[in-house]
Amino acid sequence: LLDESLGRPAEALPHFARALALDPRNVVVWLTHARALAALGRFGDARRAAERARALSPANAGAAVARLEVEL
């Protein structure tokens, strides 16, 4: 996940896959994954990841913001 925060979203993708395999209900990982996908221009995948985060935690403002960021 550090790769994404260092501006290397492509290198972070395998780490997101592993983290989500271990804990598929982790909203923070889904949100960060959505942002990394959007940074790579994978907007459909990013939208689905953000929607998954929002579905897991509907009251989470970060999930709503991530969904909007992906749309922009």
Side-chain angles (χ1 to χ4, degrees):
L1 303 182
L2 184 59
D3 286 325
E4 194 276 333
S5 67
L6 293 175
R8 300 188 310 238
E11 294 173 37
L13 292 183
H15 301 289
F16 287 119
R18 176 76 174 135
L20 291 170
L22 293 171
D23 185 5
R25 298 189 56 79
N26 189 318
V27 174
V28 173
V29 175
W30 280 110
L31 291 174
T32 313
H33 188 207
R35 289 185 178 111
L37 290 165
L40 294 169
R42 293 176 52 183
F43 299 111
D45 292 332
R47 185 178 306 110
R48 284 185 288 282
E51 287 171 354
R52 177 70 175 142
R54 197 166 87 185
L56 289 169
S57 182
N60 184 323
V65 169
R67 177 69 168 86
L68 291 173
E69 288 175 347
V70 167
E71 290 300 318
L72 298 176

